[in-house]
Amino acid sequence: MELASRLIFCLVLLTCAVTTQRAFSQEGPLDTSPPKDITPDEVIKRFAAKETEFAKARDNYTYRQDVKVQTLDGETVDGEYREVFDVIFDDKGKRVENVVFAPQSSLQKIYMSQEDLADIRHRLPFVLTTEDLPEYNILYVGQQREDELHCYVFDIAPKKIEGKKRYFQGRVWVDDHDFQIVKTYGKTVPDLCNGKPCNEVKKRGDQENLFPKFTTWRQQIDGRYWFPVYTKADDELHFNTGDVRIREIVKYEDYKRFGSNVKILYEGKELPKADENKTPGQKPDEKKPQ
């Protein structure tokens, strides 16, 4: 990495680390000592491999996603976007979305862009697979307890922004037992101004597409993989026309494995078929913010 790029990356991670510490004051203290009996690079390789398995497995689960996006004036909600949809399979085994609730949006200060909708579906439940690793700079920052879990903590930022592709920038917590991401904090990047990354334009123009910082919690489903179950964002976006406070809550509920002939592997072994009489989905811990 060139010196200039390294300095920029370190400044980004420092900013993220300060913000993260402030956002999660109830977490255990961050221990910056290196892992025992394993190197940070080995941890990265192991959790990326598990994330790759998980990404394939999640594609064979049905679930409901409940999305709420609000703008606020103080503590008063003055606009809301709502959508509830089921991710299911049709009679040909094709993965589809079935919208079950979508009232007319009352948002006035912002609008839901295609990037917003894609982020809600694909990047708030961030997954970092082995294939994705070359696109990111990943820095080990320490160890920390999350509830009863002991986690390795990493800061992540894209090496570069290519085309219209979107990325995650922030922090992940990796369980030291299952080597899977159990929590994510950060934002999707880049922010867009007139269709281009805001940091690449001299004037931001009148088409600003800014994105909030968010936290996604995961929970173990079927005793194997850690699935996203709850995302929350509460952030202030700084538009040229003025600041807008935005709150997002996304719930992922009722995970059920699709009863197809597709084999799902865990640590190289095929998982048993789903029990149709059992509902394995779990809902967010009651202690999580609402």
Side-chain angles (χ1 to χ4, degrees), residues 17 21 28-36 40 139-144 150-153 155 171:
Q21 188 63 31
L30 182 65
D31 175 6
T32 58
S33 63
K36 295 181 180 179
L139 179 66
Y140 171 78
V141 294
Q143 304 171 58
Q144 196 167 29
H150 181 267
C151 298
Y152 299 119
V153 186
D155 280 343
R171 176 166 289 190

Side-chain angles (χ1 to χ4, degrees), residues 213-283:
K213 295 183 290 294
F214 64 88
T215 304
T216 296
W217 288 269
R218 292 193 193 182
Q219 195 165 319
Q220 200 171 48
I221 302 296
D222 286 352
R224 297 176 181 91
Y225 292 110
W226 290 80
F227 285 69
V229 291
Y230 194 93
T231 295
K232 183 171 184 180
D234 195 333
D235 199 5
E236 194 166 61
L237 304 182
H238 305 292
F239 294 94
N240 275 336
T241 54
D243 296 343
V244 176
R245 183 182 167 198
I246 184 172
R247 181 166 61 201
E248 295 184 10
I249 294 176
V250 182
K251 299 177 182 179
Y252 317 77
E253 303 174 309
D254 298 328
Y255 282 106
K256 297 177 183 178
R257 186 177 159 194
F258 179 58
S260 69
N261 293 324
V262 176
K263 292 183 179 180
I264 301 179
L265 303 180
Y266 178 76
E267 296 183 338
K269 299 179 181 180
E270 183 181 357
L271 298 185
K273 300 295 183 182
D275 182 351
E276 295 182 355
N277 297 318
K278 180 182 177 182
T279 302
Q282 299 178 17
K283 296 185 179 180

